[in-house]
Amino acid sequence: MTLEIQYKIKNNPNYQRFLRQNSQWYKYLNRNPANFKSFEAQVKEAYSLRLSDRISSTIKTLEILENVMSSLK
């Protein structure tokens, strides 16, 4: 694994946690550093860090607030 990838993993707690839970990624990243993009995508998918996940979470929160406000009327 290159030093650059090690640095990125060390500075991101989500990457560290994902690697501990999915240790096969150590092998993939050691053999081919180009797999880091796939690794990032897997982390974002696993922890719902994609933009679409954030938008859907915001929409759900707004719907809950709307339901609470309508029940208070």
Side-chain angles (χ1 to χ4, degrees):
M1 195 178 319
T2 64
L3 289 175
E4 180 183 351
I5 291 176
Q6 289 178 12
Y7 182 74
K8 288 179 183 179
I9 291 170
K10 184 173 174 88
N11 288 323
N12 190 326
N14 288 329
Y15 292 167
Q16 291 177 350
R17 183 172 40 147
F18 187 79
L19 268 176
R20 288 185 186 120
Q21 294 171 352
N22 302 285
S23 59
Q24 75 271 12
W25 275 100
Y26 282 111
K27 178 175 64 173
Y28 300 143
L29 293 173
N30 276 325
R31 291 183 181 173
N32 187 0
N35 286 334
F36 190 73
K37 293 286 185 191
S38 299
F39 171 76
E40 284 181 313
Q42 287 290 320
V43 170
K44 288 180 180 181
E45 184 178 334
Y47 298 128
S48 300
L49 300 175
R50 296 175 296 191
L51 180 61
S52 61
D53 295 327
R54 287 189 233 146
I55 290 172
S56 65
S57 173
T58 304
I59 290 172
K60 287 179 186 176
T61 303
L62 291 174
E63 288 174 351
I64 291 171
L65 286 173
E66 182 181 0
N67 289 340
V68 169
M69 295 301 286
S70 66
S71 67
L72 291 175
K73 287 182 179 180

